[in-house]
Amino acid sequence: MKVHDLLDMPHLGLDPLVSDDGRDTVIRWVVTTDMLDPGRYLEGGELVLTGLMWHTRPEDSDVFVRAITGAGVAALAASYDGVVPADLVESCRRHGLPLFRVSAAVAFATITESVVRSLSRERATDLRSVLDRHRRLVSGAGAGDGIGPLLDLVSEDLGLECWVLTPGGRVVASSHPLPDEIRPDDLAHDFLTARGLPVVSHGLSLLAVDGDRTSRVADAMVAFRSDWRSWTPERLALAEDVASIVALERERTDDRLGSSGRSAHQLIRVITAGGSVADTLAQMTVVGLDTDARYAVVAAAVASGPLRPGELRVVLRELLPSGGAIGVTDGEVVAIVPTDDDLTPRVRSGMDRLVPGLAGSDVSLGVSSAVTAGELRGAVDEARYARRLAAGRSDGVRIVGHDELADLVLLLASVPDEMRRLFRSRLLDPVVEYDDRHQSDLVPTLRAFLDCNGSWTACSTRLHLHVNSVRYRIQRIEELTGRDLSGLEDRVNFYLALRMS
């Protein structure tokens, strides 16, 4: 949508104070912020909403407007109890930024949801086309009613009891209670391991909700109490339509598309970009998180395989307690979870259940200890560092909890990235360059030697080399780096450098 389209939405109570001057600027998303300088957390094209908590003197307006215009935002909507300072109006006019005053009677959440719905018009059109095909079937499944009424109608009109479940075994909606003899975990396992869908499990036919676009482990299933192999083509088509409507409903209610999800993503960006404690606490307030509570952080990434970061985010959201914030930054999913407990056992247990659906995806996770809101930056660094350590391990899904991190690793988690890169480069670059020039295997030998605690015999056995060949390679590494691998200090340094690479 464009900035001038906001004027066609009178229920939003937006009063234009500085016009768009006919530029037809495109609005890409909506962001709420009360930071004085939020520019580095913006991506461009946003409609920025602010309650002016940053405004303490007239000069602040120019600081704020310069920051957001420098980031390329589309427009600004502001209000403190229905009032916009004259200096903010003048600054927006000077910088050519469209400005709207928000009525005191209209909540920012109302503006956000209305704009997001407008931006999602294409998805709404898709939903209407499906509903038009089966108007009677889905007459109760309109926006806001959820999928429960739809399942009730399927049960009433087609005589099919049905349920919607996640791959983790959580029942999302149902027409009837699930029979006691059927365990959701068993259905989830059969759904994840089926070679093709639909599949029959415990007398229920399982269909993927969005199998054409989504990895099964991040999808959902619709279970019908009937064997699909006995259905007519028409009944199978109706069941597939039900699954399609559930997919559209899930997309409509996806928290990434609403104000809460967007604000949560902004919080993750603030922390990972090195924002101050004050900025973090301010954005936590926007998200609705208790700044007096304690939080743990989970970091996750996919190095290879069919699973995408956005889908891993869905998986993580399913595993973790509700009420936190989750976002994707540089391909890594970061979740902030309110808790006083160690989340590692919960994450391990949840990922173990999903392993059949993760085949072929190289997934690693790190879990921090629980900290106060003011210590979140350190917790994020800790979780991301633990995740990098997990990525260095082999076999399937790798998880490193905070309890596994040695004191030195914890210390290094707080060291700036540039310092860590310098540390790694000084130690390993000569060895890596030698391997590249001579097609040798010094780095793998070094890794194996340290994993075997410096045992020549164990290392030679692991690498299927004569012990003298191992001794020669280690000697070459010492010559290239000027280090002594018979000493503990240099062994520890190399161990850490390899874990950072």
Side-chain angles (χ1 to χ4, degrees), residues 10-15 78-84 100-108 111:
H11 66 286
L12 298 186
L14 296 178
D15 177 22
S79 171
Y80 179 75
D81 199 22
V83 176
V84 176
F100 296 86
R101 182 181 65 85
V102 181
S103 168
V106 177
F108 282 178
I111 299 173

Side-chain angles (χ1 to χ4, degrees), residues 417-431:
D417 288 343
E418 185 58 36
M419 293 298 293
R420 289 201 292 265
R421 282 193 293 270
L422 182 61
F423 177 81
R424 181 178 64 243
S425 175
R426 285 180 174 176
L427 279 171
L428 293 183
D429 277 3
V431 185

